[in-house]
Amino acid sequence: MTYQDWALLLLLSVLWGGAFFFAAVAVRELPPLTVVLARTGLAALALAFVLCVLGERWPFRGKAIPAFLIMGLLNNLLPFSLLFWAQTMIPSGLASILNATTPIFAIIIAHFLLADERMTRNKALGIGFGFFGVVVLLGGNLLDGQGFAIGGMLACLGAALSYGFAGTYGRRFRSMGFSSAQVALGQLLATTIMMIPLASLIDRPWTLVLPSFAAIASVVALAVASTALAYVVFFRLLASAGAVNTALVTLLIPVSAIVLGALFLGEALAARHYVGMALIGVGLLAIDGRLVSKIMS
């Protein structure tokens, strides 16, 4: 990975770190599928406006449509729905830990499906350090007084598995001639089209009570920052760094959430936070090969 790739990875972790907070606020007043529909629909509108301003061509057409539908299913519809549903049962800290298993799934899937992303000792060692760091980082806040819910935990693992497949499948867009913004719009539009009948049938959103300003603001922030902008960064990173390296963002998301809380909400950092972040840093260096090469030299 280049230094630019690392910078994009950090930016993506900040954008997606906020998604857990925004989602936790939104699902208090809105059912999960309605939140998914609002998130992807508003994000698609925002990206359509951006593409119009930039003068880029409309991506959702012709032979690209099936690819966008599959990507929308794997990268949005399934994981978003599972994660939002899980957050109605388990705290966001536990959800983010389980979501951090994404690189584990990604490295296994990529090993079998991608010739240029085979499993290496560096990757296995690094992901092990990184995941342990996430557990240490959030270990003191797992329960938050709510207890464990097996269904919610399994849903988070299912979302991580879906993300793992999405990262591998998304590599194909690199050879289709689309920009990162075009790919982001195409898969978000595909997801929105698939979500409309699901949300309409199950949630019947037109019958819901008007949510509070906080819930509406959370959905808008979730759509514009944590989805539209985040996916432009994601697909650019996926094209340059690969599926496994891009999946590392899930190890950094809890770090971003805690650091943002300390900077803007005055939340105190405990010793375990520093230990956890250090372990994650060691894991990332190991995956990049720099730490292992220094030890071996």
Side-chain angles (χ1 to χ4, degrees), residues 57-75:
R57 62 191 175 97
W58 183 252
F60 198 76
R61 56 190 176 85
K63 296 181 180 179
I65 292 179
F68 283 132
L69 289 170
I70 294 173
M71 191 65 184
L73 176 69
L74 294 175
N75 207 39

Side-chain angles (χ1 to χ4, degrees), residues 254-274:
V255 177
S256 296
I258 287 177
V259 171
L260 288 172
L263 291 175
F264 297 105
L265 300 178
E267 297 175 354
L269 292 177
R272 63 182 171 81
H273 294 138
Y274 294 105

Side-chain angles (χ1 to χ4, degrees), residues 50-211:
V50 170
L51 258 65
C52 182
V53 171
L54 296 176
E56 295 192 26
R57 62 191 175 97
W58 183 252
F60 198 76
R61 56 190 176 85
K63 296 181 180 179
I65 292 179
F68 283 132
L69 289 170
I70 294 173
M71 191 65 184
L73 176 69
L74 294 175
N75 207 39
N76 297 323
L77 193 153
L78 285 177
F80 286 0
S81 300
L82 289 171
L83 285 172
F84 290 168
W85 179 67
Q87 285 187 262
T88 65
M89 295 179 285
I90 63 176
S92 58
L94 178 56
S96 64
I97 281 185
L98 294 169
N99 188 54
T101 61
T102 296
I104 299 174
F105 290 116
I107 194 173
I108 295 172
I109 294 168
H111 175 76
F112 289 103
L113 298 182
L114 297 175
D116 60 342
E117 292 202 42
R118 299 298 187 186
M119 186 182 300
T120 64
R121 180 179 58 180
N122 288 5
K123 289 180 179 179
L125 180 65
I127 288 175
F129 268 107
F131 182 70
F132 182 59
V134 171
V135 174
V136 172
L137 188 71
L138 297 174
N141 294 327
L142 285 181
L143 294 179
D144 289 340
Q146 299 181 41
F148 291 105
I150 298 300
M153 294 171 67
L154 291 176
C156 288
L157 290 175
L161 177 62
S162 187
Y163 278 136
F165 276 107
T168 297
Y169 186 83
R171 286 282 303 277
R172 70 187 56 230
F173 292 104
R174 183 172 58 179
S175 62
M176 295 177 69
F178 291 120
S179 69
S180 56
Q182 288 174 316
V183 178
L185 172 59
Q187 56 115 30
L188 285 169
L189 184 58
T191 307
T192 303
I193 292 171
M194 292 186 286
M195 283 303 307
I196 289 174
L198 282 176
S200 299
L201 180 65
I202 297 173
D203 289 349
R204 302 179 67 200
W206 58 88
T207 66
L208 300 174
V209 177
L210 183 67

Side-chain angles (χ1 to χ4, degrees), residues 224-287:
V224 176
S226 298
T227 308
L229 177 58
Y231 270 137
V232 172
V233 176
F234 170 81
F235 283 108
R236 182 174 177 182
L237 187 61
L238 187 63
S240 62
V244 173
N245 287 332
T246 301
L248 298 178
V249 69
T250 57
L251 297 177
L252 289 172
I253 286 173
V255 177
S256 296
I258 287 177
V259 171
L260 288 172
L263 291 175
F264 297 105
L265 300 178
E267 297 175 354
L269 292 177
R272 63 182 171 81
H273 294 138
Y274 294 105
V275 173
M277 286 187 281
L279 287 169
I280 292 172
V282 170
L284 294 174
L285 287 173
I287 292 170

